[in-house]
Amino acid sequence: MRARMALHVSNQKVEFREVLLRDKPQSMLDISLKGTVPVLLLDSGDVIDESLDVIDWALTQNDPFDWSRSKKSKKSELLIEMNDGEFKHHLDRYKYSKRYEDEDPIHHRENCMNFINEIEDQLSVTKFLYDDNLSIVDISILPFIRQFRIADMKWFDTLKKPNTQKWLMAFLDSELFKNIMIKYPQWKDGDEKIFFP
C-alpha cells in the first residue's frame, strides 16, 4: 500500500501484477527470492523488493508534494524504524495471533499502544507526523495503523487517541487512499497488461 501511494503520487506508470502470496507466480520468484511484495523490476534490470526503497525510488523520479522533506528528520526516521520493527512485530502477533503458538494477542496489543502513544504525542504538535502536510513518514506508517484498527475496530474507535484517530480517518477518506485501493484480478501468465496508476 505504501509503495502504491508513492508510485501514484509520483506518477510512475508501472506494469501492475496482483499476486496472492499463497500462490506466487514463478516469474516473481525468479526476480526476487524473498517472495514478498512489493517487487519492482526496473527497465535497467535492477530489482527493488522493499517498500521503503520503492518509495525512495519513485519520489526520486518525481516528488510533486515534496514528501521527501521528512527524510531530513531524525525523529521521522526513528518513527519509521519503530513502525517497521517493534510495532510490526507486535501487530502481527495481535492481528494474526492464531498463526503464532502460545501468543497472547492482548499482550501484543498493549505493546502496540507504546507506538500509538508516540504517534498521538506527535500529532498533538503537528497535523501530520512531520509537519502540517503529508510526507514519507505518514505514508510509511498509516497502512500499519490501519491494520491495527482493523484487528478490532470497535475497540480502536473507543480509544482516547483523538489525534491518531482523526489522522487515520482523514487518510481513509482521502482520494489518495481511494485511488490506490482499486482491486485488481489476480495476475496469471499470459494475461493482458495492466498499468498503475
Side-chain angles (χ1 to χ4, degrees):
M1 187 184 294
R2 57 190 184 177
R4 277 194 199 190
M5 284 189 275
L7 290 167
H8 178 81
V9 81
S10 64
N11 201 28
Q12 298 306 302
K13 188 174 275 193
V14 295
E15 183 183 339
F16 187 85
R17 296 178 178 182
E18 183 73 50
V19 300
L20 296 178
L21 292 179
R22 66 176 180 270
D23 185 18
K24 300 168 190 166
Q26 188 58 48
S27 57
M28 174 186 164
L29 297 172
D30 288 344
I31 62 169
S32 176
L33 292 175
K34 284 176 60 184
T36 60
V37 292
V39 177
L40 179 63
L41 174 62
L42 302 178
D43 289 339
S44 65
D46 292 330
V47 174
I48 304 174
D49 58 8
E50 292 288 345
S51 56
L52 292 176
D53 295 334
V54 173
I55 292 170
D56 286 343
W57 176 85
L59 296 177
T60 298
Q61 309 310 304
N62 182 30
D63 189 0
F65 303 111
D66 194 21
W67 280 4
S68 300
R69 69 190 182 284
S70 62
K71 287 187 69 96
K72 302 173 218 160
S73 162
K74 197 72 180 157
K75 171 99 185 205
S76 294
E77 195 177 293
L78 183 59
L79 283 173
I80 293 171
E81 284 175 17
M82 289 170 68
N83 177 78
D84 285 26
E86 186 176 349
F87 179 71
K88 187 173 183 316
H89 169 85
H90 291 295
L91 173 61
D92 287 346
R93 285 153 182 79
Y94 165 49
K95 188 175 179 189
Y96 307 112
S97 59
K98 289 182 174 65
R99 294 182 191 174
Y100 297 91
E101 206 172 306
D102 301 324
E103 294 288 356
D104 175 8
I106 301 307
H107 165 77
H108 291 288
R109 184 175 79 181
E110 287 169 1
N111 277 284
C112 285
M113 288 304 297
N114 295 328
F115 186 61
I116 298 296
N117 291 334
E118 289 279 338
I119 297 292
E120 183 69 14
D121 289 348
Q122 182 57 44
L123 292 171
S124 69
V125 179
T126 52
K127 188 175 172 185
F128 291 90
L129 291 177
Y130 176 65
D131 56 20
D132 289 334
N133 294 292
L134 202 63
S135 72
I136 283 179
V137 65
D138 299 285
I139 67 159
S140 297
I141 292 172
L142 274 160
F144 296 91
I145 305 302
R146 173 181 172 262
Q147 284 183 31
F148 183 63
R149 177 179 182 257
I150 287 171
D152 187 340
M153 285 193 274
K154 187 181 275 191
W155 174 82
F156 181 89
D157 291 347
T158 62
L159 289 174
K160 290 185 170 64
K161 301 296 175 190
N163 301 317
T164 305
Q165 290 156 328
K166 182 180 174 185
W167 169 74
L168 176 61
M169 296 315 292
F171 167 65
L172 297 179
D173 291 336
S174 72
E175 284 303 310
L176 173 63
F177 180 74
K178 291 171 189 165
N179 286 330
I180 63 130
M181 289 303 287
I182 296 166
K183 296 283 184 200
Y184 294 91
Q186 182 185 358
W187 180 85
K188 297 283 186 194
D189 197 19
D191 283 355
E192 188 175 329
K193 290 182 180 181
I194 295 173
F195 292 93
F196 175 89

